[in-house]
Amino acid sequence: VNIILPVVSVTFESDVATVEWVVTVYLLLVSGLLLSFGRLGDLRGHKLVYLAGFGVFIASSVLCGFAPTVVVLIAARALQSLGAAMRLANSPAILIKNFPAKQRGQALGLQATMTYLGLTVGPSLGGWLTSHYGWRSVFYINIPVGLLALLLSFYFIPWDAAGERHE
């Protein structure tokens, strides 16, 4: 998303300080909500919170893509950060619960590798999408990818056992 800020600024005729909130609100809320959504996963089930996070993230990606003003885009990014925090807070717990002790390090290491691969490829992909399809495509790409991930997560992540929940 950082890569699209100059284009968003021009599109909405907004100053840099305002447009920077598109990124800032996301980072503030994700980092501030990780512990709360992790605890919610402990109480209600990690898979449930994780899947709900995907739903929120996908729906808010649609809102980001359709945003008619920079203020709406910032608000949609705030909502998107809720979904991201729900997923980020619960994915390590899902991995830890579902991999044997000997493979946990590999599973968590692979998750970290994929995260950093995304952070490395993201700016180039965002720039390419923006130059070919416009800045809104950076958000629209989340929809098919997110729906596929949601479907795969629903079918392949086991539900938390009732005894593991602390209701």
Side-chain angles (χ1 to χ4, degrees):
V1 173
N2 283 329
I3 200 79
I4 69 168
L5 294 182
V7 179
V8 170
S9 180
V10 170
T11 300
F12 294 129
E13 298 175 355
S14 296
D15 58 291
V16 174
T18 302
V19 173
E20 284 177 353
W21 277 100
V22 172
V23 173
T24 304
V25 73
Y26 185 90
L27 294 173
L28 283 172
L29 289 174
V30 164
S31 59
L33 293 171
L34 283 175
L35 292 176
S36 298
F37 283 127
R39 180 65 178 145
L40 184 62
D42 291 341
L43 296 172
R44 298 289 174 215
H46 296 287
K47 180 176 180 174
L48 178 66
V49 176
Y50 184 81
L51 293 176
F54 259 120
V56 170
F57 189 85
I58 294 164
S60 58
S61 292
V62 172
L63 295 175
C64 288
F66 283 121
T69 67
V70 72
V71 173
V72 172
L73 179 58
I74 292 166
R77 282 286 285 173
L79 184 61
Q80 192 179 48
S81 71
L82 298 179
M86 293 168 83
R87 289 179 317 134
L88 291 169
N90 287 281
S91 57
I94 290 169
L95 291 173
I96 289 168
K97 283 184 180 181
N98 292 293
F99 280 88
K102 288 184 178 182
Q103 292 181 321
R104 285 184 193 144
Q106 289 174 322
L108 292 168
L110 184 58
Q111 179 197 26
T113 300
M114 292 298 112
T115 298
Y116 285 103
L117 180 62
L119 290 170
T120 302
V121 173
S124 297
L125 179 59
W128 184 83
L129 286 169
T130 301
S131 66
H132 286 85
Y133 304 104
W135 68 266
R136 295 174 191 276
S137 65
V138 170
F139 298 107
Y140 293 145
I141 193 72
N142 292 334
I143 300 164
V145 173
L147 287 171
L148 177 62
L150 179 64
L151 181 69
L152 292 172
S153 298
F154 182 80
Y155 284 108
F156 291 109
I157 297 173
W159 289 97
D160 300 276
E164 293 178 318
R165 293 186 187 180
H166 306 286
E167 296 180 8

